[in-house]
Structures are given as structure tokens and as C-alpha cells.
Amino acid sequence: LRGVIHAAGMLDDSAIQNMTWSQMERVLQPKVTGAWNLHNLTKDISLDFFILYSSAVSLLGSPGQANHVAANTFLDSLAHYRQSLGLPATSINWGTWSKIGEAAEKQADKRMSQLGVNAIAPEQGIAILEQLFLAPLAPQLWGEQDRKSPKIGGFPKGYRFAYRGQPQIGVVNINWNKFLQQGELSSLFSEFKQSQPTQKTTQINLQTELDKAIPTERRSLLLDYLRSELARVLGFQASEVDTKTGFFDLGMDSLTAIEFKNRLQDSIGFTLPSTVAFDYPNLEALADYVLDKMFPEKESDDEEADIADLLAAELAALEEED
């Protein structure tokens, strides 16, 4: 046995408030238990490589994938631990791959591209993997207890190979300008958030439009905005989104529900519950909820007052004509 590649993994996404322990176990087992078993069974074998297929989610975070993040963070930690023991280890934080794998099957690659994280083509991924395989291995002299170690690669006994590459390498096809426009990013990116003024401008513009609009127009303005945001999250044209069709009938899942919620609350200026897409399951219901939150109690009174003002203005105009 000359090397190990651990590439097992699976997805079972859910908002963390709704995630069951069985969902955690299902995702943790192949990565945590599998990788730890491979480590224990090979730690006394002189391997050339020990490669762990981790994910970029442990670097960037991913709403709805707490179990996936935890599982891959374990792989990253295991790579650092193995190198501290002088054992070969590389944890690759892969971004999404196109065409193959469970993420591609669930169209996660398309969803991530909307966030600025583009998919890696299989041929690109294989070429990058080859480069990582060729990262330097160098001999290192160990103590007397290792004098009986076998002869490796032409080096005399008493030498063992110690991997000198990085224990953790991120491979992500990312558009930083687009990625940094997302809300609720990790503090890891706090110094790079040049896009924040754009988010505030969007928020101010939406609130200003709704404040200036007469109450009878607010709902249609908000519906248009919600329709465009939902279409962007789901990859549709806004004209394809029916306001009365349920979100999950349109193809929303727990992951896109959180993304939609985050985009919306960044624009309206207050926090929404994580279950908002479940509690108000179509655009019509959601628009009514948001309006009630933005204009509490005054909405119906203001609407009646505006209608009365309009009628009074029309009557005054008719009297002037007479």
C-alpha cells in the first residue's frame, strides 16, 4: 500500500434548528469515522500520500449544511494532526465540481454559481489533483528507534519520508466580487467586505420606495421585489414565478430557503425567522407578513385615509369643473 485517497461523503441538508441527530450522523460517519479508521489502520505504514477530500464549506461556511461543515472540518484537523506526527496528509477543500458527485446531482453547483462560487470542471479538478500529488516529499532523519525502517526510494535505512506540503489546501473557483456581496458572511471576510455599501443602498432604496408609495401600491412594489429575489435564488426569470405557487413547489429546498431569507432581510433591514419560507409559503403570504412588520398597525388606517384623500381630491376637481 503506497497511499490513501479518502473521497467518501454525502449530503443531508437542513436548517440547524430543524436538523436531527440522525442527519448529523449520516453525514459525519463516512468522513469522520471513515477517515479516522484509515488513519489508525495506516499510521504505521510508510505511505507516499494520504489525501482527504474535504470541502470549501469548512472555509466559507454554508447555510443549511452544519453537518457537512463539521464533517469536513474534522478532515482538515486530521490532516494537521497527521503532519504533526510526521505522517503524510493533505486535506483538499474542494469547491463544487460540475457534472459528477452528489452536489452536482442536487444542482448545488448551479446554486453556488449564483453566489459567486463557480463549479470546477472534472478535467480541471484532475489536473489540480495531479499537481498536489507532485508536491514535494523529502527525506527526514529520525531517531534511533527508526533505524529498522525499510529502504525507501534509494535512501538508506534510518530515513523516513516526511510530507512537506501544506496540510490543507483550498481549491475554489471563486468570483470574489460577487461572493462578497452576500449577506451574513463569516468574520473571516470582514476586511474584504467592500460590497457592504451596495447592500445598504439596496436596503435604503427599497425602504424609501415603500415609504414614499401610497399604501395601495406598497404590496405590488414589494411583490415585484420578492419575485425578482426569488427568481435570482432559484435560477428563474422573474416572469416565470407565480406569486401564489408554493416556494417548495417551485423547487426551493432548505438551503435555498435560508439563502432567500438572508437576501430578503438584508434588504428590508430587520431579522426574519429562519422558518419564514415555511410559515409564509408563497410570495402573496410573505408580502403580507413583511408589510405588517414594516408598517405595523398603520397600514389599514393609512390606506383608508389615502383613499379618503383621493376621493376628496377628485370631488374637489369635479366641483371646479362645474
Side-chain angles (χ1 to χ4, degrees):
L1 181 65
R2 305 308 306 155
V4 170
I5 298 179
H6 177 282
M10 67 175 302
L11 300 176
D12 195 346
D13 300 342
S14 176
I16 193 168
Q17 295 93 328
N18 304 323
M19 188 172 290
T20 64
W21 180 244
S22 63
Q23 286 178 292
M24 288 292 294
E25 284 186 313
R26 197 173 298 124
V27 175
L28 290 174
Q29 187 169 5
K31 287 187 176 287
V32 176
T33 306
W36 186 248
N37 285 340
L38 288 170
H39 161 68
N40 281 322
L41 292 170
T42 64
K43 62 185 178 183
D44 296 321
I45 301 174
S46 297
L47 299 177
D48 291 336
F49 58 88
F50 190 96
I51 291 179
L52 301 163
Y53 269 36
S54 181
S55 168
V57 299
S58 61
L59 298 178
L60 307 177
S62 182
Q65 293 190 307
N67 47 7
H68 191 45
V69 172
N72 287 289
T73 300
F74 174 84
L75 297 184
D76 301 336
S77 301
L78 178 59
H80 286 269
Y81 173 65
R82 281 181 58 89
Q83 284 212 15
S84 73
L85 300 177
L87 299 173
T90 306
S91 182
I92 307 174
N93 299 109
W94 290 111
T96 54
W97 283 43
S98 62
K99 301 178 184 177
I100 59 175
E102 189 170 6
E105 290 175 4
K106 295 186 176 183
Q107 296 187 325
D109 54 338
K110 295 180 181 178
R111 187 161 59 245
M112 292 302 292
S113 68
Q114 296 167 9
L115 303 178
V117 182
N118 300 314
I120 299 168
E123 56 273 16
Q124 290 177 317
I126 295 299
I128 293 168
L129 181 61
E130 182 181 6
Q131 292 178 12
L132 299 181
F133 261 118
L134 297 176
L137 286 166
Q140 178 176 329
L141 184 63
W142 290 71
E144 290 296 323
Q145 68 272 24
D146 292 314
R147 287 290 178 185
K148 295 181 180 180
S149 60
K151 188 175 181 180
I152 301 173
F155 289 93
K157 290 182 179 181
Y159 283 85
R160 289 184 59 188
F161 275 106
Y163 194 80
R164 288 174 52 174
Q166 293 294 328
Q168 184 179 355
I169 299 172
V171 181
V172 192
N173 183 4
I174 192 165
N175 179 330
W176 285 106
N177 288 333
K178 190 173 182 180
F179 176 76
L180 291 171
Q181 291 176 10
Q182 310 308 313
E184 296 193 0
L185 288 175
S186 165
S187 58
L188 178 67
F189 306 103
S190 59
E191 296 183 9
F192 303 96
K193 290 185 180 179
Q194 298 176 353
S195 59
Q196 196 66 23
T198 303
Q199 294 176 355
K200 290 181 179 178
T201 301
T202 301
Q203 176 181 325
I204 292 170
N205 288 344
L206 177 62
Q207 291 179 335
T208 301
E209 284 187 40
L210 292 175
D211 285 336
K212 288 183 177 179
I214 62 173
T216 52
E217 293 178 346
R218 285 174 181 160
R219 193 171 187 272
S220 62
L221 285 173
L222 182 58
L223 274 174
D224 287 342
Y225 174 78
L226 293 175
R227 184 189 285 114
S228 64
E229 287 297 295
L230 182 61
R232 188 173 289 111
V233 169
L234 298 180
F236 295 154
Q237 296 293 323
S239 58
E240 298 176 310
V241 178
D242 183 85
T243 58
K244 295 182 179 180
T245 302
F247 294 138
F248 296 92
D249 292 329
L250 290 168
M252 181 179 280
D253 56 23
S254 58
L255 205 59
T256 48
I258 294 171
E259 182 187 342
F260 181 52
K261 187 267 295 186
N262 289 343
R263 294 181 69 92
L264 178 56
Q265 70 183 14
D266 284 341
S267 299
I268 60 179
F270 58 84
T271 302
L272 295 170
S274 59
T275 58
V276 67
F278 298 87
D279 299 335
Y280 307 95
N282 61 43
L283 291 179
E284 299 270 352
L286 182 59
D288 291 337
Y289 168 73
V290 172
L291 283 176
D292 287 341
K293 293 283 288 183
M294 294 185 77
F295 306 97
E297 298 180 0
K298 295 182 179 180
E299 190 68 36
S300 59
D301 295 340
D302 289 347
E303 184 174 346
E304 291 176 3
D306 282 337
I307 292 173
D309 290 342
L310 286 172
L311 289 174
E314 290 178 3
L315 287 172
L318 289 172
E319 288 175 358
E320 288 179 4
E321 290 178 2
D322 293 341

